[in-house]
Amino acid sequence: DIQLTQSPSFLSASVGDRVTITCRASQGISRYLAWYQQKPGKAPKLLIYAASTLQSGVPSRFSGSGSGTEVTLTISSLQPEDFATYYCQQLNDYPPTFGQGTKVAIK
Amino acid sequence: QVQLQESGPGLVKPSETLSLTCTVSGDSITSYYWSWIRQSPGKGLEWIGYIYHSGSTNYNPSLKTRLTISADTSKNHFSLRLTSVTAADTAVYFCARLTGVNAFDIWGQGTMVTVSS
């Protein structure tokens, strides 16, 4: 299985901050990478697919970049509703796998 | 809009079979691939498997020997059956739609399943 490692696992930030989360893969995943946001007690919500394509309805402050073995999720200006846990997911190869998550908390 | 709803017992005894159903509204399961995913504190998010309406399936090798996913197009739902469960199968189980861009775009709310005697 392809292992995905997110860094950091936890970060604290303030409203308005620029936040970057990195997802590193144990082998190349091309651009078959998606990002999700999950709030407590809720299902994950798709933010970005194909590494950099914004899902319909997702604010433009979210962006994704990268390919190969390293991809990043950037939130350009953190909003109160963005405090959550973020996961990356690959489907370059089966089985699909997820990163361990990055919790974004209020500083 | 498309909605998915999981249903099934919240408590299963060890060695017994876990059975869940995902009912889809607002879309037909004759399109897309329909997946099960689970989430536990110890293992994070884990993809279980998918089914296509034709009946073709793809399972996580780690669960393959205990797993069956089936679909009923007349009821527009698909189901999960996991045999010989242990405490390690305790998790929140989600159903989700897998799109052609290799991402899960619609999820059910999730259902907690505890394996305990």
Side-chain angles (χ1 to χ4, degrees):
Chain A
D1 298 3
I2 295 176
Q3 308 301 316
L4 298 179
T5 304
Q6 292 180 229
S7 60
S9 295
F10 176 89
L11 71 88
S12 61
S14 301
V15 172
D17 283 354
R18 181 182 181 88
V19 167
T20 298
I21 300 168
T22 299
C23 178
R24 291 185 176 86
S26 58
Q27 61 192 77
I29 56 173
S30 185
R31 293 178 63 80
Y32 295 112
L33 193 287
W35 289 97
Y36 300 85
Q37 176 194 70
Q38 187 177 32
K39 296 183 178 179
K42 301 293 187 181
K45 172 189 172 183
L46 178 64
L47 299 175
I48 288 169
Y49 61 88
S52 61
T53 303
L54 210 60
Q55 173 72 347
S56 175
V58 174
S60 60
R61 62 181 179 273
F62 291 92
S63 64
S65 63
S67 66
T69 60
E70 185 168 310
V71 291
T72 60
L73 170 70
T74 299
I75 309 172
S76 60
S77 177
L78 202 62
Q79 297 303 299
E81 60 268 31
D82 300 337
F83 292 97
T85 301
Y86 294 83
Y87 295 93
C88 56
Q89 170 251 318
Q90 69 80 26
L91 221 178
N92 182 70
D93 193 17
Y94 275 87
T97 50
F98 294 84
Q100 84 280 12
T102 295
K103 183 172 182 179
V104 178
I106 301 172
K107 182 181 285 185
Chain B
Q1 75 272 22
V2 182
Q3 292 186 314
L4 283 65
Q5 178 68 57
E6 305 89 351
S7 59
L11 181 64
V12 182
K13 290 182 167 55
S15 80
E16 295 191 346
T17 296
L18 183 163
S19 296
L20 297 173
T21 294
C22 180
T23 301
V24 180
S25 58
D27 193 8
S28 170
I29 65 167
T30 58
S31 303
Y32 298 104
Y33 293 79
W34 301 92
S35 274
W36 288 99
I37 296 164
R38 68 183 182 181
Q39 185 173 31
S40 61
K43 293 195 73 176
L45 286 160
E46 180 181 29
W47 176 76
I48 297 170
Y50 74 56
I51 187 163
Y52 192 55
H53 71 88
S54 63
S56 66
T57 55
N58 192 345
Y59 298 156
N60 193 316
S62 67
L63 298 168
K64 190 172 184 176
T65 59
R66 301 191 289 130
L67 181 62
T68 303
I69 298 176
S70 59
D72 186 333
T73 55
S74 68
K75 296 181 179 177
N76 213 43
H77 73 205
F78 60 104
S79 300
L80 162 75
R81 189 171 177 269
L82 187 66
T83 62
S84 304
V85 297
T86 69
D89 296 308
T90 294
V92 177
Y93 285 75
F94 297 98
C95 53
R97 186 175 78 173
L98 175 61
T99 71
V101 293
N102 293 345
F104 302 99
D105 68 336
I106 308 289
W107 296 62
Q109 65 185 23
T111 187
M112 178 69 203
V113 178
T114 301
V115 178
S116 175
S117 55

